[in-house]
Amino acid sequence: MALHRLFQLSSVLRSAVSLTLRRNIGISAVLLQRAKELDPVQKLFLDKIRDYNAKSKTAGGIVDAGPAYQKNVSEEVTKLQRLYGGGDMTKFPDFKFTEPKLDEGAK
């Protein structure tokens, strides 16, 4: 009887260990495959993103932004300042909330 229970327990344990190992091997296979050479399209995409990032850092903002772009941005900022009453449009507004006065109920 005890031997039969031991075999049942070992088969349950064996199936759980087998499932865990299959999952871990499946995940590690994907990770090891990613570590190898990338797809040429993915590599090209990542190279372009890195190139744009480097250009953006040297330009200090948007890459290849000409005078027409700067003029458009300044016009839009002027419209917003006129529409919303001025202020610095480049920083987040500072909200100040006052604590409401609560009246005690009628006694």
Side-chain angles (χ1 to χ4, degrees):
M1 190 67 152
L3 189 60
H4 182 65
R5 284 202 183 267
L6 184 63
F7 283 138
Q8 283 179 341
L9 183 62
S10 72
S11 69
V12 169
L13 185 62
R14 191 174 337 122
S15 66
V17 168
S18 172
L19 179 65
T20 303
L21 286 176
R22 272 188 279 148
R23 285 183 181 168
N24 287 340
I25 289 171
I27 290 172
S28 62
V30 170
L31 292 176
L32 289 175
Q33 188 178 25
R34 296 268 182 188
K36 294 180 183 177
E37 186 62 33
L38 292 173
D39 181 14
V41 175
Q42 289 175 337
K43 185 174 180 341
L44 180 65
F45 181 71
L46 288 175
D47 289 343
K48 289 294 182 181
I49 288 175
R50 289 180 183 130
D51 184 39
Y52 184 84
N53 188 23
K55 286 181 181 178
S56 175
K57 285 182 180 176
T58 58
I62 297 178
V63 177
D64 299 333
Y69 175 80
Q70 295 298 335
K71 180 183 175 197
N72 189 18
V73 168
S74 64
E75 287 174 358
E76 292 298 322
V77 168
T78 304
K79 278 190 223 174
L80 289 172
Q81 284 176 336
R82 195 171 354 114
L83 186 64
Y84 293 109
D88 187 10
M89 295 304 218
T90 59
K91 76 171 203 170
F92 194 77
D94 185 26
F95 296 110
K96 295 181 182 170
F97 296 103
T98 59
E99 195 67 34
K101 295 182 180 179
L102 299 176
D103 294 334
E104 290 186 26
K107 291 185 180 181

